[in-house]
Amino acid sequence: MAVNDLEATAKALVAPNKGILAADESDGTIKKRFDSISVESTEENRRAYRDLLFSTRGAEEYISGVILYDETIRQSASDGTSFAEVLSGRGIIPGIKVDQGAKPLALAEGETITEGLDGLRARLEEYRGLGARFAKWRATYSIGGGKPSEYCVWTNAHALARYAALCQEAGIVPIVEPEVLMDGEHSLDDAARTTGRVLTAVYTELHDQRVELRGTLLKPNMVLSGYGAQIRAPAQEVAEATLECFYKHIPAAVPGIVFLSGGQTDEDATAHLNAMNAMGPHPWELSFSYGRALQAPALKAWVGKPENVEAAQRAFYHRAKLNGAARTGVYAPEMEREAAAV
Ligand code: 13P
């Protein structure tokens, strides 16, 4: 696929007022989410839940793309239409998680390396045939006790770039996701320093491996104090620290930055994105690719009961709408209380 096509897809994913729904929870992660609402994680329950999200009326006003999991891209809506077709029929771009998880990094206690490069070229070709036009690969880094090591930072950057190059060869836009985890007691400054180190390594490897940045998106963490930190930075400080770090470390050729929520509350994730966009314009679109922060209220409203599907869809639509507002800095906390009309 030509670079122009990759760039057009990347730009469509960060179109005005829109962002991405990450619905690519692996079997283990979706089980954890279902456990929290006492729903059994059967294939049919997983299908029904994703059907609920993907058939929410009006979601395409705020959702540009959806990241699917291997099982999900092979599943269909109740009427038999494949999920990928349901989405693309509504102007929502289907995507696919292609990494195979963060595994222990050899000889590096407590650190991880993301696996999934073996056979990736063939898997990408198959996923493209199933309708995927973009992909995701997530690497994780912990802060504290000398972590992350240079070894962890550079091996993950190398793997992210190998994944991204293979995606572009297959005509698929790579979302490059280096996630510095919020767990721990680290300060905002520690998070900024670590995020900067990680981004420097990622962009060095992407450059060395000939990846065309205009046909990529970055999915980073925001710069946040650790969950356990004595002082948690407020939204304006988070926005300023994140932007300062990004201006130093992310090339302007990258069309868009689509944040992960990473365990922030849904309201914090929206408020932080809003604060950054209120300080714009910036060289890149600043958008969202949230999992938990888009789905949490819907999951709670649904609790596995068909009679709750409409209420769950209202909750999902409402969160998507508020994050759509945060794309231009016009979100206000009062909007949280507005009834959501589907
Ligand atoms: P969260 O927004 O729940 O962090 O999920 C986003 C994601 O895709 C993590 O890989």
Side-chain angles (χ1 to χ4, degrees), residues 48-317:
Y49 174 61
R50 266 72 181 245
D51 199 1
L52 169 171
L53 293 174
F54 306 160
S55 62
T56 297
R57 257 178 296 143
E60 66 276 9
E61 295 161 43
Y62 308 109
I63 301 295
S64 56
V66 174
I67 316 175
L68 304 166
Y69 182 57
D70 181 76
E71 174 185 86
T72 323
I73 201 168
R74 301 172 195 281
Q75 287 177 324
S76 301
S78 312
D79 69 359
T81 315
S82 78
F83 280 146
E85 277 177 68
V86 168
L87 293 169
S88 48
R90 301 175 58 190
I92 298 176
I93 305 172
I96 182 77
K97 181 225 294 289
V98 300
D99 70 67
Q100 294 178 327
K103 306 288 161 57
L105 177 63
L107 308 181
E109 178 75 34
E111 299 196 288
T112 61
I113 179 74
T114 300
E115 295 189 349
L117 288 170
D118 288 351
L120 182 56
R121 178 177 271 129
R123 287 197 291 129
L124 286 167
E125 196 182 319
E126 186 193 5
Y127 287 139
R128 197 163 200 289
L130 291 169
R133 292 294 175 268
F134 71 101
K136 175 191 118 169
W137 177 290
R138 171 174 175 257
T140 60
Y141 315 82
S142 302
I143 299 183
K147 296 192 292 275
S149 63
E150 286 294 286
Y151 167 37
C152 172
V153 166
W154 285 93
T155 45
N156 274 295
H158 189 262
L160 275 165
R162 284 195 59 197
Y163 140 80
L166 283 162
C167 283
Q168 289 197 333
E169 184 189 82
I172 287 181
V173 171
I175 295 190
V176 173
E177 182 178 2
E179 178 177 4
V180 177
L181 299 166
M182 280 177 75
D183 308 74
E185 297 170 2
H186 53 268
S187 66
L188 194 69
D189 281 352
D190 292 333
R193 251 191 313 277
T194 304
T195 304
R197 280 175 61 206
V198 164
L199 292 173
T200 297
V202 166
Y203 283 104
T204 302
E205 287 290 345
L206 288 171
H207 178 265
D208 286 355
Q209 296 188 44
R210 308 176 182 180
V211 173
E212 174 50 67
L213 295 185
R214 292 183 195 282
T216 67
L217 292 174
L218 177 71
K219 177 163 173 168
N221 52 284
M222 295 180 190
V223 172
L224 300 160
S225 335
Y227 283 124
Q230 297 255 312
I231 305 168
R232 303 291 313 283
Q236 191 56 32
E237 273 181 47
V238 167
E240 285 169 15
T242 304
L243 288 172
E244 189 182 337
C245 178
F246 286 8
Y247 271 81
K248 284 195 256 183
H249 298 288
I250 303 175
V254 175
I257 294 170
V258 291
F259 288 101
L260 58 93
S261 61
Q264 303 175 66
T265 65
D266 30 327
E267 295 186 17
D268 279 354
T270 308
H272 290 155
L273 177 63
N274 188 69
M276 284 183 251
N277 276 316
M279 293 163 74
H282 302 297
W284 345 259
E285 290 292 324
L286 292 183
S287 184
F288 54 91
S289 174
Y290 294 156
R292 284 162 284 183
L294 271 171
Q295 295 183 47
L299 200 60
K300 242 166 94 184
W302 178 55
V303 294
K305 298 204 166 86
E307 63 269 30
N308 293 337
V309 162
E310 259 188 52
Q313 290 182 324
R314 271 199 302 279
F316 170 54
Y317 178 85

